[in-house]
Amino acid sequence: MIKMSPHSENKKGSLFVVGLGPGDVDMILPKVAKVISSATDIVGYGPYVDRIKPRSNLTIHSSDNRVELERARLALELALDGKTVVVVSSGDPSVFAMASAVFEVIENGPTEFFEINVTVLPGVTAMLAASAEVGAFLGHDFCTINLSDNLKPWDVIEKRLRLAIQGDFAIALYNPRSKARPDGFKKTLSILIDEGVGDRLIAFARDVSLPSQYLSSMRIVDATPEMADMRTVVLVGSSYTRKIKRDGVKNFYIYTPRYYGE
Amino acid sequence: MIKMSPHSENKKGSLFVVGLGPGDVDMILPKVAKVISSATDIVGYGPYVDRIKPRSNLTIHSSDNRVELERARLALELALDGKTVVVVSSGDPSVFAMASAVFEVIENGPTEFFEINVTVLPGVTAMLAASAEVGAFLGHDFCTINLSDNLKPWDVIEKRLRLAIQGDFAIALYNPRSKARPDGFKKTLSILIDEGVGDRLIAFARDVSLPSQYLSSMRIVDATPEMADMRTVVLVGSSYTRKIKRDGVKNFYIYTPRYYGE
């Protein structure tokens, strides 16, 4: 057993990897806001760094999508130069965002990268913002799966989907569909129906917490592939997930109860 | 397909169900802090409401553990009386916290409960705070399982653990062990070893973000049941989860890479 002390002292620059949450500025942690306010350099994908207010002593390094390793390397090199660097992602940096890319580059990079003090700060990830917005969709055991097959084979995704259904987990699906991957989510819907759960609830949540927020829900058999895009998180219910509503009252919620079985 | 409009107008009081995050006051969302500052009544489990600063026009209703439904009912009745009520949980309210309990009471309660405007606000859940603190433990697909068998049969938990391992997910385990359930986590470790993954990493994270924070990590075969308690979240690695460290440098991180397979 090793007692952890991951943050040793006396390093060169500093690197923070932070999550900006789902979009609403009031859903950024104060701890993250403080780190951003003391940064010299911000590194991230264009739409995320666009959320950072420019100021005279701050350099913003905006990059394209799908260049995570180059972005991570730039951030580490700036930190080696003594800068205070913040890598920004939306949501939470662990959940299909920049934190792992940074550590991949550290692991495979020069020894000096280990001399940088790297701090990861969490954030509100899309699935939990979506779950809360509709009620408590993820109120019981659940699985979180990235549907992108850019970095893993499709058969791993299919296997995990089937096992998650067999375990009667609720499921959160990230990156369901993009122009480069138009068919993955179509296949996902087919797998869910093939597993016999077509009558369960599915919810699509896009831009949660922003003025452009769009939510929809239906039975899986009534869902179509084009309901999802890269800005959508998809929630799939367990056999217990339910929509509650009373006659004459418009208010409704989707939640998964805490109990299971008797 | 139903377009959602879960928040209809013209209700009686208001009920907010919020997450306070892992413990650090700088990890409470500004949106949650604002709701708390405008509340007339706070409802929650003792240690969580103790985090709320008292003020003259605020009534704090503190309750024991394991009375979630009574607590939810009290909150709904206060809201029916026109109060602005905030139900507080630690972490995120969807993740094994109060949001589902509130909807269980609404579903089974009087019609009037549907006239209350209920808003759930997310927070930073323990597993993501722990993942960030060690690096990016949950950097790839993962499952989230509550080990408490108070509200579900143990065989469901065991089945889900085995399926999660078979899918090579990383796993976050909540409520691993309590005085009333001393054996569940022992059985969990046996199941993991039985599934042949005893050489994988496991991390124990207690009181993340607080001065009392305690983190440890080891191979699963070297873990013992008493390493976990009710304030611990346990993270179990996939076959790809790794600890990185260089000779002569104390700094290390645990992360799961984004890639899988080739």
Side-chain angles (χ1 to χ4, degrees):
Chain A
M1 177 175 146
I2 299 166
K3 172 88 191 293
M4 283 186 190
S5 53
H7 304 303
S8 51
E9 299 303 317
N10 197 23
K11 297 297 164 193
K12 304 203 168 179
S14 294
L15 179 60
F16 296 89
V17 187
V18 308
L20 297 177
D24 182 342
V25 69
D26 273 349
M27 296 174 87
I28 297 175
L29 300 186
K31 195 159 188 168
V32 168
K34 284 177 187 175
V35 159
I36 289 170
S37 72
S38 66
T40 61
D41 295 78
I42 303 282
V43 175
Y45 172 45
Y48 305 146
V49 300
D50 288 350
R51 293 199 214 159
I52 309 295
K53 200 186 283 184
R55 51 185 160 80
S56 59
N57 52 353
L58 180 70
T59 307
I60 293 182
H61 308 264
S62 177
S63 61
D64 284 342
N65 201 1
R66 296 187 60 179
V67 292
E68 291 87 357
L69 297 178
E70 293 86 330
R71 202 185 293 150
R73 194 171 296 113
L74 169 67
L76 286 158
E77 284 166 358
L78 289 165
L80 267 190
D81 281 347
K83 308 285 191 178
T84 302
V85 187
V86 180
V87 175
V88 296
S89 298
S90 72
D92 177 276
S94 286
V95 183
F96 315 127
M98 282 299 295
S100 287
V102 167
F103 294 114
E104 288 169 33
V105 173
I106 291 174
E107 181 173 15
N108 299 302
T111 310
E112 294 75 46
F113 281 170
F114 266 84
E115 296 172 28
I116 299 162
N117 197 352
V118 180
T119 303
V120 184
L121 295 179
V124 171
T125 184
M127 66 180 170
L128 294 182
S131 175
E133 190 61 28
V134 301
F137 200 111
L138 300 176
H140 195 78
D141 301 340
F142 61 94
C143 295
T144 306
I145 301 174
N146 187 347
L147 283 186
S148 168
D149 60 355
N150 288 334
L151 295 170
K152 66 183 165 188
W154 176 261
D155 60 3
V156 171
I157 298 173
E158 175 163 345
K159 181 181 181 186
R160 287 176 177 170
L161 285 168
R162 291 188 186 276
L163 291 168
I165 292 296
Q166 287 158 29
D168 203 7
F169 287 97
I171 310 173
L173 301 171
Y174 281 72
N175 301 320
R177 191 161 169 268
S178 72
K179 280 178 190 157
R181 298 179 291 101
D183 294 329
F185 187 60
K186 187 178 174 185
K187 288 190 277 184
T188 298
L189 291 173
S190 299
I191 290 165
L192 296 176
I193 288 165
D194 183 58
E195 288 288 331
V197 298
D199 61 331
R200 292 195 189 161
L201 282 167
I202 188 168
F204 296 84
R206 189 173 196 265
D207 291 355
V208 171
S209 83
L210 292 173
S212 52
Q213 171 174 308
Y214 181 79
L215 302 167
S216 63
S217 72
M218 66 228 51
R219 301 282 148 187
I220 291 170
V221 285
D222 298 320
T224 58
E226 64 277 7
M227 289 176 181
D229 66 13
M230 280 305 277
R231 282 158 65 194
T232 305
V233 66
V234 180
L235 304 180
V236 177
S238 77
S239 66
Y240 278 63
T241 306
R242 61 193 68 199
K243 184 180 287 186
I244 57 172
K245 187 177 184 319
R246 292 280 163 94
D247 284 349
V249 182
K250 276 186 188 170
N251 219 342
F252 69 87
Y253 309 100
I254 301 177
Y255 84 103
T256 308
R258 303 163 307 142
Y259 57 82
Y260 196 94
E262 296 308 298
Chain B
M1 175 176 151
I2 299 166
K3 172 87 192 293
M4 283 187 190
S5 53
H7 305 302
S8 50
E9 299 304 316
N10 198 22
K11 298 297 163 194
K12 305 204 168 180
S14 294
L15 179 59
F16 296 89
V17 186
V18 307
L20 297 177
D24 182 342
V25 69
D26 273 349
M27 296 173 87
I28 296 175
L29 300 186
K31 195 159 187 169
V32 167
K34 285 177 188 175
V35 159
I36 290 170
S37 72
S38 66
T40 60
D41 294 78
I42 303 282
V43 174
Y45 172 46
Y48 306 145
V49 299
D50 288 350
R51 294 200 212 158
I52 308 297
K53 198 185 284 183
R55 50 184 160 81
S56 60
N57 52 353
L58 180 69
T59 307
I60 294 182
H61 308 265
S62 176
S63 62
D64 284 341
N65 201 0
R66 295 186 61 179
V67 292
E68 291 87 357
L69 297 178
E70 292 85 330
R71 202 185 293 149
R73 194 170 297 115
L74 169 66
L76 286 158
E77 284 166 358
L78 288 165
L80 266 190
D81 281 347
K83 309 284 191 178
T84 302
V85 186
V86 180
V87 174
V88 296
S89 298
S90 72
D92 177 276
S94 285
V95 184
F96 314 127
M98 281 299 294
S100 287
V102 167
F103 294 114
E104 288 170 33
V105 173
I106 291 174
E107 183 174 12
N108 300 302
T111 310
E112 294 75 46
F113 282 169
F114 265 83
E115 295 172 30
I116 299 162
N117 198 352
V118 179
T119 304
V120 183
L121 295 179
V124 171
T125 185
M127 65 180 172
L128 295 182
S131 175
E133 191 61 28
V134 302
F137 200 112
L138 299 176
H140 195 78
D141 301 340
F142 61 93
C143 295
T144 305
I145 301 175
N146 187 347
L147 284 186
S148 168
D149 60 356
N150 289 336
L151 295 169
K152 66 183 165 188
W154 177 262
D155 60 3
V156 171
I157 298 173
E158 176 163 345
K159 181 181 181 187
R160 288 177 178 170
L161 285 167
R162 292 188 185 277
L163 291 168
I165 293 295
Q166 288 158 28
D168 203 8
F169 287 96
I171 311 173
L173 301 172
Y174 281 71
N175 302 318
R177 192 162 168 266
S178 71
K179 281 178 189 159
R181 298 180 289 103
D183 293 330
F185 187 60
K186 187 177 173 187
K187 286 189 279 183
T188 298
L189 290 174
S190 299
I191 290 164
L192 297 176
I193 289 165
D194 182 60
E195 288 287 330
V197 298
D199 61 331
R200 291 195 190 163
L201 281 167
I202 188 168
F204 296 84
R206 189 172 194 266
D207 291 354
V208 171
S209 82
L210 292 172
S212 52
Q213 172 174 307
Y214 181 79
L215 302 167
S216 63
S217 72
M218 67 226 53
R219 301 282 149 187
I220 290 170
V221 285
D222 298 321
T224 58
E226 63 277 7
M227 290 176 181
D229 66 12
M230 280 304 277
R231 281 158 66 193
T232 305
V233 65
V234 180
L235 304 180
V236 177
S238 78
S239 66
Y240 278 64
T241 306
R242 60 193 68 198
K243 184 180 285 187
I244 56 172
K245 188 177 183 322
R246 292 280 163 93
D247 285 349
V249 182
K250 277 185 186 170
N251 220 340
F252 69 87
Y253 309 100
I254 301 177
Y255 85 103
T256 307
R258 303 162 307 142
Y259 57 83
Y260 196 94
E262 296 307 298

